[in-house]
Amino acid sequence: SFDAALHRLRAMLRVSDAVRLSDGRLSLDRTRVWVDAWAFEALCRQDDSAAESAARLYRGTLLPNELDAPWSVSYREKLRNDFNRLICAQGSALESRCCYDDALSWYARGLETDDLVEAMYQGTMRCHLQLGRRADALAAFQRLRRTPSSKLRTSPSAESAALAARAEKQAVP
């Protein structure tokens, strides 16, 4: 029955040598099959010019219907961490060039996908503060307090609290 299932899989893929059987293990031939997760990883290893393409490929949790499958957990977390690093790196680079609105777009994109990353909230708060939008900075802090805190039962870090305190003290125009 294994041979029949392998034959059906190869027929379904329409490329007979796309699936390899070696030492009792099945794998996809990377030279014959395109996989979005592999492409995402490759783009993440490139320079900043590939960041937009990489971010477009990441669609959120890998195999969301297989969350309990032990074989998928570590790879899912690796992709999630790669995405979060990409978002934070792009946001930070834009902040350093004083491109705060562009940085905010990256942080918002990241938070839409993973709202548990405190560094993205902090980046959002810093950008709003630089743009003189204290209410928006405080709103980001409130969202940070609600979202991760309720899901993970944690409190914002001292760095996040300091950014909120800075927003509260910032002069209203």
Side-chain angles (χ1 to χ4, degrees):
S1 65
F2 173 79
D3 291 338
L6 179 57
H7 177 74
R8 283 193 303 275
L9 175 61
R10 286 178 170 155
M12 193 169 54
L13 293 174
R14 297 187 185 126
V15 181
S16 63
D17 56 348
V19 179
R20 293 183 169 184
L21 176 60
S22 177
D23 297 325
R25 298 184 71 178
L26 287 177
S27 63
L28 296 174
D29 182 345
R30 287 179 181 250
T31 64
R32 311 280 293 157
V33 178
W34 183 88
V35 176
D36 58 354
W38 294 345
F40 170 74
E41 287 180 293
L43 288 166
C44 283
R45 288 190 296 269
Q46 293 180 20
D47 62 19
D48 287 349
S49 65
E52 180 63 40
S53 296
R56 269 197 310 270
L57 278 177
Y58 189 81
R59 300 271 192 240
T61 303
L62 174 74
L63 303 171
N65 296 330
E66 300 288 332
L67 292 178
D68 294 332
W71 57 268
S72 67
V73 173
S74 63
Y75 192 57
R76 177 183 305 115
E77 283 304 303
K78 181 198 179 310
L79 294 175
R80 177 182 171 270
N81 290 334
D82 287 349
F83 175 76
N84 291 336
R85 267 192 302 278
L86 174 77
I87 294 293
C88 290
Q90 290 303 304
S92 180
L94 288 163
E95 280 184 72
S96 71
R97 295 193 309 264
C98 300
C99 300
Y100 302 114
D101 284 320
D102 292 336
L104 281 168
S105 294
W106 277 91
Y107 292 133
R109 180 186 222 166
L111 289 169
E112 285 173 16
T113 304
D114 189 346
D115 63 355
L116 299 178
V117 183
E118 188 169 6
M120 291 183 210
Y121 290 98
Q122 292 170 351
T124 299
M125 292 169 66
R126 285 191 307 271
C127 289
H128 284 307
L129 286 169
Q130 289 296 326
L131 293 167
R133 301 176 190 158
R134 76 184 272 285
D136 291 333
L138 289 169
F141 182 70
Q142 291 307 317
R143 181 176 174 207
L144 168 64
R145 286 181 52 196
R146 282 190 315 271
T147 305
S149 298
S150 64
K151 292 181 182 179
L152 302 176
R153 295 188 178 106
T154 62
S155 297
S157 68
E159 184 179 346
S160 295
L163 285 166
R166 194 170 124 204
E168 289 173 348
K169 291 177 184 173
Q170 193 176 62
V172 179

